[in-house]
Amino acid sequence: MPLTHLSITAGARVKLGWPDGEIELRATANGRYLGRFMLRPTPGVIAPLQARLVAVTLTDQAGAALDTAGPLLDA
């Protein structure tokens, strides 16, 4: 599914950009959680839309690559 927009819903308000504090981008494939990227944005700076889309796309690509790596090993 192509990503057409990126916004964060905080309560009843929609805020463009990243939320304050750490951000977790989950890498998934076929409904399985494969890992995550933790981001710490610079306070007061809103990353450009293109940078946010790249972060989400790279996370999506990592999930797809990990899905082809073989079965998950349970520890």
Side-chain angles (χ1 to χ4, degrees):
M1 171 182 357
L3 182 66
T4 57
H5 69 281
L6 180 63
S7 64
I8 306 299
T9 303
R13 298 174 292 151
V14 173
K15 174 182 171 183
L16 295 179
W18 296 124
D20 295 331
E22 278 192 334
I23 300 147
E24 177 184 28
L25 293 180
R26 291 184 172 218
T28 61
N30 295 318
R32 295 184 334 196
Y33 172 79
L34 299 171
R36 66 184 180 170
F37 291 93
M38 298 301 294
L39 307 175
R40 286 187 213 131
T42 303
V45 176
I46 297 176
L49 175 60
Q50 187 171 5
R52 292 177 278 154
L53 291 173
V54 167
V56 172
T57 301
L58 289 174
T59 301
D60 184 51
Q61 293 294 311
L66 289 170
D67 189 45
T68 63
L72 294 174
L73 300 176
D74 291 326

